Amino acid sequence: MLNLYLIVVCVLISVLTYWWYRKPLKFPPGPKGLPLLGILPFLSAYPEHEFGTWSKKYGPLMSVPMGWQNWVVLNDYETIKETLLKRSEHFNERPKIRFLQMLSPNGLGFVPGGEIWRSHRRFGVAALRRFGGSKGVIERKVNEEALNLIEELKKYEGKPFQMENLLTNAVSNVICSIAFGRRFQYDDDKFRGLVSSLLAVFKMLGHWKTNLLMFIPFLCDVPSFSSHINEGRKLWKPVRDMIADLLIEHQSTFDPNDIRDIMDAYLECYQQKENNLVLEDLQDFFVDLFAGGTETTASSLRWAFLCLMIHQDVQEKMQEEIDTVIGKDGTPSLSLSDKLPYTCAVVHEILRFRTVAPLSLPRCVAKDVTVCGYNLPKGTKVLTNQWQVNNDEANWQNPSVFAPQRHLDENGNFTNSRHVLTFGAGARMCLGEQLARAENWLFLVTVIQRFRISVDPDDPDPPSLTRGSNAIVYIPDAYNMIIHSR
C-alpha cells in the first residue's frame, strides 16, 4: 500500500511539474522560476534590472512566470517597435489586474480596453489638444506656474529645504488649470494634504504586498492584503473627493456657450451624447488624468534637480548657455530650444538616466499574434522594460554614467535619439507626452536660470542618485537642497 501511495504522489508531482512548466507552442523562452511563485522570489526592488540581465541570455523578447501567470517582457527598442508600434492593434489592451481595477476601474490608466477605454482615449486626446495642445497655451500656463514656483522658492533661499511637495504642487497646478480651470495656492492646507496623499499612493505601489497582489490575485481576499488595499483607497480618497467637489461646482456653473476647461468639455460631450461618455465614469477619468499628469512629471523634475545638484559642472554649462540665449531675466520659450542644444541634451539625458516609468504600465495581447518568430496567444500579459532600453549597452556607452554630451553630435547640435524611451509606445503611450515634455523643459530652465542649486554640505545623509522608491513611478527619496539667487 505504501508503494502505491508513493507512486500516486510521484505521478501527481510529475503532472503538476509538467503543468507548471508547460508553455504554448513557440512561446518565448525565459527563466523557469519556482512552482506557484515563478520568478517573484528572485526579483529585487528593481525588477527591470533582473529582466535586463535575463534578456542577455534568453533574448530581448522573453517570457517570465509571475506567480502562476506567464508574462512576456520586451527588452529592446527593436522588439518594442515590432510589437507595440507595428502591431499596435494587438497590444492595445491592459490586463485585468484586480488590485489596480479596485483603485480606478473605469478611468484611463488601468481600464483593460473596450468601449470605455476607446471613449476616454478619444476624448482625452481631443481635450488636451483643445485646452493645452498648442505650444502657446502650454507655454503660457507652464511659465505662469513656473514664476509662482520661483516666488515660493525665494522664501527658502540660503537654507536647506525639501522641494518635493512644492514641485508636485506646481506640476499639479498646470494639469488643474487645464482640466479644472483653477490652480491652488502653495499654502493651501487642503491641497497640501492632497499632494501628500498622492505621493503616498505612488510610494505604496512599490510595497512588496502590492507586487504580490499584482501577480497573485486571490490575495486580494486575504485579510492582511485586503487591509493594504483599503489603505490605498484611503490615500486615493482626497483626490476622489476633490474631483467630486469640482464636478458639483462645474455642473452648477456649466454654460454650453462657454466651455472653460476639460471637465466642462466632458459634461458637454455627455449632454450631447458624443464619444459615448458616461457621467458615472467621470470621476475615474479625472482621477487618472490628475494623478498621471502630476506624479510622473514631478518625479522626473525631482531627479533633474538632484542630477544638477550633484553634477555642478553640468549645471554651470547649462546656465552659461541659458544666460547667452535667454538672459537671466528673459522668458524661456520652447521656440528657443534649437538655440539651447546643451540644455536639451541635459533634459534628454535625465529622461534616459532616471527612467521614471521603468516597466511602464502592463499591456495585454488583444488577439493571437506571431511576432519576432514567437506565438503570443490572446490574453498574454506584456511588460515594456523602458529602463533596459535606456540602459542598453548596444546603444549607450557607460549607460550608468550621467553624461548629457552623449546627445550632442560632433558640431554640438542636439540629437533626439529614439532609444530614449520614457512615455511608452503605440496605442497606450502617455496621453500627455507633449505637455510633460514642455513642463520638464520649461520648469527646469526657469529654475536654473534664476538659482544656483546645491547639496546641503552639513547634511548627515546626503542625497544619492541611486536611492528611490520604485513602483509604477520611480520616485527619488526626499532630499535637502540649498538655493541661491544668481
Side-chain angles (χ1 to χ4, degrees):
M1 183 63 70
L2 181 61
N3 289 337
L4 179 60
Y5 285 146
L6 288 174
I7 292 172
V8 171
V9 169
C10 290
V11 170
L12 286 174
I13 291 174
S14 298
V15 170
L16 288 173
T17 302
Y18 169 77
W19 174 83
W20 172 253
Y21 288 117
R22 69 189 175 97
K23 292 182 179 180
L25 184 65
K26 296 187 70 176
F27 201 66
K32 300 293 186 183
L34 301 175
L36 300 181
L37 294 176
I39 48 87
L40 294 179
F42 306 105
L43 296 180
S44 68
Y46 305 95
E48 62 274 9
H49 295 188
E50 282 79 46
F51 294 153
T53 299
W54 289 331
S55 71
K56 295 175 183 178
K57 177 179 179 180
Y58 298 106
L61 177 60
M62 69 177 194
S63 63
V64 289
M66 310 280 269
W68 54 77
Q69 305 169 352
N70 280 319
W71 287 59
V72 165
V73 185
L74 314 176
N75 287 287
D76 73 353
Y77 177 81
E78 291 304 321
T79 301
I80 292 168
K81 179 180 175 182
E82 289 297 318
T83 52
L84 306 190
L85 292 174
K86 290 187 177 181
R87 293 175 173 83
S88 61
E89 73 279 4
H90 291 83
F91 295 88
N92 64 4
E93 294 188 354
R94 298 266 188 242
K96 294 180 180 179
I97 297 176
R98 186 179 171 192
F99 163 64
L100 294 179
Q101 287 192 284
M102 291 170 78
L103 293 180
S104 181
N106 292 323
L108 275 166
F110 305 137
V111 64
E115 189 55 36
I116 293 175
W117 170 70
R118 284 191 291 271
S119 297
H120 278 167
R121 181 78 186 189
R122 284 195 302 266
F123 170 75
V125 169
L128 281 172
R129 186 182 302 120
R130 179 178 180 181
F131 293 99
S134 67
K135 289 183 179 180
V137 174
I138 287 177
E139 281 190 14
R140 177 171 57 82
K141 291 184 180 295
V142 178
N143 280 332
E144 287 173 359
E145 192 56 44
L147 293 178
N148 286 316
L149 177 62
I150 293 297
E151 292 304 309
E152 194 67 22
L153 291 175
K154 288 179 180 178
K155 300 176 184 178
Y156 300 91
E157 187 163 1
K159 54 187 178 183
F161 76 105
Q162 293 186 358
M163 196 182 189
E164 185 177 44
N165 282 19
L166 293 176
L167 197 54
T168 303
N169 195 322
V171 172
S172 68
N173 269 339
V174 175
I175 194 66
C176 284
S177 175
I178 294 171
F180 314 123
R182 68 166 55 189
R183 64 177 299 277
F184 296 87
Q185 297 297 325
Y186 290 85
D187 59 358
D188 185 318
D189 289 337
K190 185 176 180 180
F191 197 70
R192 280 179 174 177
L194 186 146
V195 167
S196 296
S197 293
L198 188 63
L199 285 167
V201 165
F202 279 93
K203 289 178 180 178
M204 185 211 77
L205 292 173
H207 195 278
W208 65 269
K209 287 185 179 180
T210 301
N211 293 331
L212 289 179
L213 285 167
M214 292 272 287
F215 307 113
I216 307 178
F218 79 83
L219 292 177
C220 292
D221 299 315
V222 175
S224 63
F225 287 89
S226 59
S227 62
H228 181 69
I229 296 172
N230 289 333
E231 181 61 29
R233 285 171 165 166
K234 288 178 184 178
L235 292 173
W236 270 121
K237 191 175 185 300
V239 180
R240 301 189 74 87
D241 288 348
M242 179 192 74
I243 303 298
D245 291 343
L246 287 167
L247 174 58
I248 293 172
E249 178 185 307
H250 275 68
Q251 286 177 314
S252 66
T253 59
F254 179 75
D255 180 355
N257 297 312
D258 181 22
I259 304 302
R260 300 160 294 184
D261 47 46
I262 296 178
M263 186 169 277
D264 267 356
Y266 197 107
L267 294 173
E268 177 189 41
C269 285
Y270 168 71
Q271 291 186 358
Q272 296 179 358
K273 303 186 184 308
E274 294 179 0
N275 275 322
N276 296 316
L277 296 182
V278 179
L279 194 59
E280 288 75 13
D281 295 335
L282 179 146
Q283 191 178 53
D284 283 342
F285 173 85
F286 281 99
V287 165
D288 284 5
L289 185 67
F290 174 78
T294 296
E295 194 47 48
T296 51
T297 301
S299 291
S300 181
L301 284 166
R302 289 187 208 110
W303 284 119
F305 290 121
L306 183 54
C307 286
L308 295 179
M309 286 164 54
I310 291 175
H311 295 275
Q312 289 287 315
D313 57 327
V314 174
Q315 183 181 164
E316 289 175 4
K317 191 169 181 178
M318 184 177 170
Q319 286 171 332
E320 289 174 4
E321 186 179 68
I322 291 171
D323 289 348
T324 300
V325 177
I326 303 176
K328 292 184 178 180
D329 299 313
T331 301
S333 171
L334 296 174
S335 63
L336 297 173
S337 60
D338 289 345
K339 298 179 180 179
L340 295 160
Y342 188 75
T343 299
C344 290
V346 170
V347 175
H348 208 52
E349 176 67 353
I350 289 163
L351 294 176
R352 184 204 69 81
F353 180 67
R354 283 297 170 263
T355 310
V356 293
L359 290 174
S360 191
L361 288 175
R363 306 288 183 96
C364 184
V365 176
K367 48 189 174 181
D368 294 353
V369 62
T370 299
V371 61
C372 301
Y374 297 111
N375 294 335
L376 303 183
K378 177 181 178 180
T380 302
K381 299 174 179 65
V382 180
L383 288 171
T384 306
N385 193 349
Q386 297 193 138
W387 178 87
Q388 178 60 25
V389 175
N390 293 341
N391 289 270
D392 191 341
E393 293 179 348
N395 299 309
W396 308 110
Q397 185 178 8
N398 298 322
S400 62
V401 175
F402 179 69
Q405 63 272 15
R406 71 171 82 242
H407 305 292
L408 300 173
D409 65 17
E410 62 276 8
N411 297 316
N413 298 313
F414 170 61
T415 57
N416 190 355
S417 173
R418 63 182 182 177
H419 295 113
V420 175
L421 191 62
T422 303
F423 300 97
R428 286 277 189 157
M429 69 182 298
C430 176
L431 190 70
E433 177 182 356
Q434 182 183 359
L435 175 61
R437 287 189 180 278
E439 288 180 290
N440 271 296
W441 199 88
L442 292 168
F443 273 121
L444 187 62
V445 169
T446 302
V447 172
I448 297 304
Q449 176 191 30
R450 307 297 179 89
F451 297 111
R452 180 81 178 181
I453 64 174
S454 60
V455 175
D456 176 13
D458 299 320
D459 193 340
D461 184 25
S464 168
L465 286 168
T466 61
R467 294 203 304 261
S469 173
N470 191 35
I472 292 175
V473 179
Y474 185 27
I475 303 172
D477 287 352
Y479 56 81
N480 290 330
M481 69 158 37
I482 295 180
I483 60 172
H484 291 282
S485 294
R486 299 182 59 234

